[in-house]
Amino acid sequence: MLRTWTAIASTAAVLAFAAPVLAQDGAETSGSDKVNQVIVYGDDPCPASTGDEITVCARKPEGERYRIPAPLRGVDRPTSEAWSNKVLAYETVGRFGTNSCSPVGAGGFTGCTQQMINKARAERENGTDVRFGDLIQKEREKRLSTIDATAAEEQVSVEAEERAYEARKKAADAAAAGQAAGTTAP
């Protein structure tokens, strides 16, 4: 009986933690714009943006069209490692304890997160892959630069329509006042 209650309690705990994740599946991504990320080769045209969709094109040389992407072409080659990196690896052989990211010593696990962050930062800075985030930001800035001009044109047309409406309203009021004056006269 105790085993059944334990199973029910653990299942309820798992579902309680999974509910917020399930609720987020239909959530919008950052911004209301849809982003279409396309890699084009050589002189191929970039598809045009439509409506709320931003099309971002990364252009690569024609010779790269049928090749394996650069990040997947055998990155880990021990022969291409610099000698200074090998020396740094030898310097950390005896390190253990706090902030060392080793299974030995008290607090040896504490340096693993920082080591992982440093490695990810180095990969991102030295990566040769396309940076779609930068391309998307540039496309958004280009779209935002035209908004002010479009808004100014729209404002001018709205003000012209308002002046025309006011003129028609004054003319209609004057005509109604003239008719009212003509019917009330003896």
Side-chain angles (χ1 to χ4, degrees), residues 7-23:
I8 291 172
S10 64
T11 304
V14 167
L15 291 177
F17 286 114
V21 173
L22 293 174

Side-chain angles (χ1 to χ4, degrees), residues 49 54-55 135-147:
S49 297
I54 295 175
T55 301
L135 295 173
I136 291 169
Q137 184 62 30
K138 287 178 185 175
E139 184 66 26
R140 281 194 175 131
E141 289 171 2
K142 187 168 63 170
R143 279 188 169 206
L144 289 175
S145 68
T146 61
I147 287 177

Side-chain angles (χ1 to χ4, degrees), residues 6 8 33 51 66 81 95 99 128 154 166 169 176 178:
T6 306
I8 291 172
D33 298 333
Y66 299 108
E81 187 175 4
R95 281 192 74 201
N99 288 332
T128 59
E154 189 71 24
E166 289 296 325
K169 187 174 178 182

